[in-house]
Amino acid sequence: MMCKKMLALPTVKSRLKYLRLRYLRLWGVSLCAPVILAACTTVHTGPIPHEPIKNAPIPTPIAQPEPEGPPPVLTPTPDPVLVTPPTQPPVPDVIKSAFSSLPHWGGGDLSPALKSFKKSCQVWAKRDDHKPLSSAHPEFGVYKDWQPACNVARDLAVNHENAHSFFQGFFEPVTLSNPDSEDGSGLLTGYYAPILEARRLPDAVFSEPILARPTDMAIQRQPRKNINALSAKVLAYGRPIDVFFLQVQGSGQIKFANGDMYRVAFDGHNYQKYTSIGKVLVARGDLPAHAASKQAIEQWMARVGPKRTRDLINENARYIFFKTEYLSADEGPRGSMHVPLTAMGSMAVDPKIYPYGALFWVVTKLPQAAGDYNGVETGVLLSAQDSGGAIKGPMRGDLFFGTGDDAGALAGVQKHRARWYALLPVQLAWALNGTILPVS
């Protein structure tokens, strides 16, 4: 574990008092008004189908005379005793927040992060207040530590100004360091939910089945090369390349010829080892390491034909099964935290290291357009709400870019080193006293 001490800091109590006053001023709330925090509400949703279907003014009080009581009893006053008052530590007028030195803080839109955080709070409201978010890392505290922030976020309108004031008022950033990297950085890639053209019956083009999870565990555990349309219920047929990349992304949407659209969501896998076909192509010399993107792999497949494409796909023995869901407007697929993912506000992490719902400020390069392999350095605030077969180890993240081809064009070229900072509730961050948070 790497540690770094900061300058002497005010007490947690004074810090919390300051932040509470600062946050109220930001919102124009009278400092004399009591603030009542209510518990997070639980949002109930209906069952998910498994088959597709097409101010009277307040009167001024009148002063009442105090009731007359018995005359006071006079007692002698003792001689005064001089007592030296205890020395009180000074409370600074301005407490410098670590946000002031956080790279790129305030430079981007924090609305997606507020939207995704509100969804995490809905799940946490069902948890035991005293249960830790992570048994491996108590630094993330218990659910009750996050409750004050959730109470305020619940009724907060989602926009950048609200989000910026909210996060800066209730949280403090803590530096993460990666012991597996020479410079302490991590890696951020991207993923998205594709929209596939599909058919109900197979033909020469739409020949690859999208399968439901088999009822027989022995069949479910077969490697990819042994799984076919007879292995389980077929939800739809798509192009082989499209279906493979649907499995890589983990969820998406299917669109039939008559215009009907449904979501296909992750419903399990075959417990086989995941192998990156991009790395296979690089190792064989078919693609350069710096350009092994989704687009480059698709171009290679189109060039070599269906047989070599099938052979390459079978190099990855992992197979993903799906279930159909109704589409909800403006909502992404459900991640491993069982909440709809938010474009540019959710990411997949290794849940063995980071708890679902944890907040991270990630400083990295993000593509500005399709084909932009270089990207522009910026910061993005993300909630850990998903996981993935290839997302393993400390400071390894996968940013959800959204749904459709435009999101896919950006996700396909996202692969850059990244510096990570955890946003913790103030009392948890200050308890660390400047310690760099361990990550493994």
Side-chain angles (χ1 to χ4, degrees):
M1 181 190 303
M2 298 177 59
C3 295
K4 179 176 67 176
K5 294 297 180 180
M6 299 172 63
L7 296 177
L9 299 174
T11 64
V12 175
K13 183 176 181 181
S14 64
R15 172 64 174 164
L16 287 171
K17 178 180 179 182
Y18 166 76
L19 287 175
R20 188 179 299 112
L21 296 178
R22 180 181 68 182
Y23 187 76
L24 291 172
R25 290 194 184 99
L26 287 170
W27 292 98
V29 177
S30 169
L31 298 181
C32 297
V35 178
I36 302 176
L37 300 179
C40 297
T41 56
T42 301
V43 175
H44 298 279
T45 57
I48 300 173
H50 297 278
E51 298 295 333
I53 310 177
K54 219 169 268 222
N55 290 320
I58 300 176
T60 303
I62 300 174
Q64 299 292 331
E66 293 290 338
E68 294 183 1
V73 178
L74 300 178
T75 58
T77 303
D79 294 335
V81 179
L82 297 178
V83 178
T84 303
T87 302
Q88 297 293 334
V91 178
D93 294 332
V94 177
I95 300 175
K96 184 177 180 181
S97 168
F99 281 103
S100 61
S101 59
L102 193 63
H104 302 287
W105 177 254
D109 185 11
L110 299 180
S111 297
L114 178 56
K115 183 177 180 181
S116 64
F117 180 74
K118 287 159 74 82
K119 294 175 182 177
S120 295
C121 289
Q122 295 173 7
V123 174
W124 290 344
K126 305 173 185 177
R127 301 288 188 261
D128 182 344
D129 284 351
H130 301 286
K131 184 177 180 180
L133 270 70
S134 169
S135 57
H137 291 292
E139 297 90 350
F140 288 98
V142 299
Y143 291 107
K144 186 177 181 180
D145 294 322
W146 299 73
Q147 195 173 75
C150 284
N151 290 340
V152 172
R154 180 190 58 199
D155 300 319
L156 203 56
V158 176
N159 58 57
H160 172 69
E161 291 74 19
N162 286 356
H164 184 274
S165 298
F166 169 74
F167 287 116
Q168 192 160 320
F170 281 90
F171 299 90
E172 276 290 318
V174 177
T175 303
L176 302 186
S177 184
N178 183 2
D180 297 338
S181 171
E182 291 184 0
D183 61 358
S185 67
L187 178 66
L188 186 71
T189 53
Y191 71 116
Y192 75 112
I195 301 177
L196 281 68
E197 294 291 334
R199 299 292 184 268
R200 301 187 186 277
L201 296 174
D203 58 29
V205 176
F206 299 89
S207 59
E208 188 72 15
I210 301 173
L211 297 180
R213 178 162 46 89
T215 56
D216 188 332
M217 182 57 72
I219 295 177
Q220 180 177 341
R221 289 181 175 271
Q222 291 294 311
R224 173 182 294 275
K225 64 181 181 180
N226 295 341
I227 296 176
N228 54 49
L230 300 178
S231 300
K233 179 182 179 180
V234 177
L235 303 178
Y237 289 89
R239 300 179 182 91
I241 294 178
D242 292 343
V243 175
F244 175 78
F245 281 109
L246 170 66
Q247 296 190 12
V248 172
Q249 303 304 320
S251 61
Q253 298 177 12
I254 53 176
K255 182 178 181 179
F256 291 103
N258 65 351
D260 289 347
M261 293 185 67
Y262 305 97
R263 174 172 287 125
V264 282
F266 176 88
D267 196 33
H269 56 73
N270 61 344
Y271 300 94
Q272 299 288 328
K273 181 181 178 181
Y274 172 86
T275 299
S276 168
I277 62 172
K279 290 183 178 180
V280 172
L281 291 175
V282 171
R284 297 195 318 210
D286 291 325
L287 285 180
H290 68 276
S293 65
K294 174 180 178 292
Q295 289 85 341
I297 295 173
E298 288 178 327
Q299 292 170 4
W300 182 91
M301 290 176 168
R303 186 168 64 251
V304 303
K307 184 181 185 305
R308 292 186 64 185
T309 293
R310 174 63 63 184
D311 292 341
L312 175 65
I313 289 176
N314 285 339
E315 292 276 353
N316 178 23
R318 175 70 62 89
Y319 194 95
I320 305 300
F321 303 102
F322 298 94
K323 60 183 177 182
T324 54
E325 296 178 341
Y326 288 123
L327 286 175
S328 300
D330 302 325
E331 283 199 342
R334 291 180 179 269
S336 302
M337 194 181 182
H338 304 294
V339 298
L341 301 177
T342 302
M344 305 307 292
S346 302
M347 75 169 169
V349 298
D350 188 340
K352 293 182 179 180
I353 300 178
Y354 304 116
Y356 288 130
L359 289 166
F360 298 95
W361 179 251
V362 182
V363 178
T364 188
K365 293 180 178 180
L366 294 180
Q368 305 302 296
D372 180 10
Y373 289 90
N374 296 321
V376 174
E377 184 174 289
T378 187
V380 58
L381 184 56
L382 303 169
S383 296
Q385 294 178 327
D386 203 4
S387 60
I391 313 304
K392 302 298 181 184
M395 295 176 65
R396 176 67 175 94
D398 207 19
L399 169 58
F400 179 64
F401 275 84
T403 300
D405 292 341
D406 291 342
L410 298 176
V413 297
Q414 173 61 40
K415 188 177 183 181
H416 293 287
R417 303 305 299 178
R419 288 170 287 163
W420 287 43
Y421 305 82
L423 261 65
L424 298 179
V426 173
Q427 72 276 17
L428 295 179
W430 281 66
L432 293 175
N433 195 27
T435 301
I436 297 177
L437 193 65
V439 294
S440 63

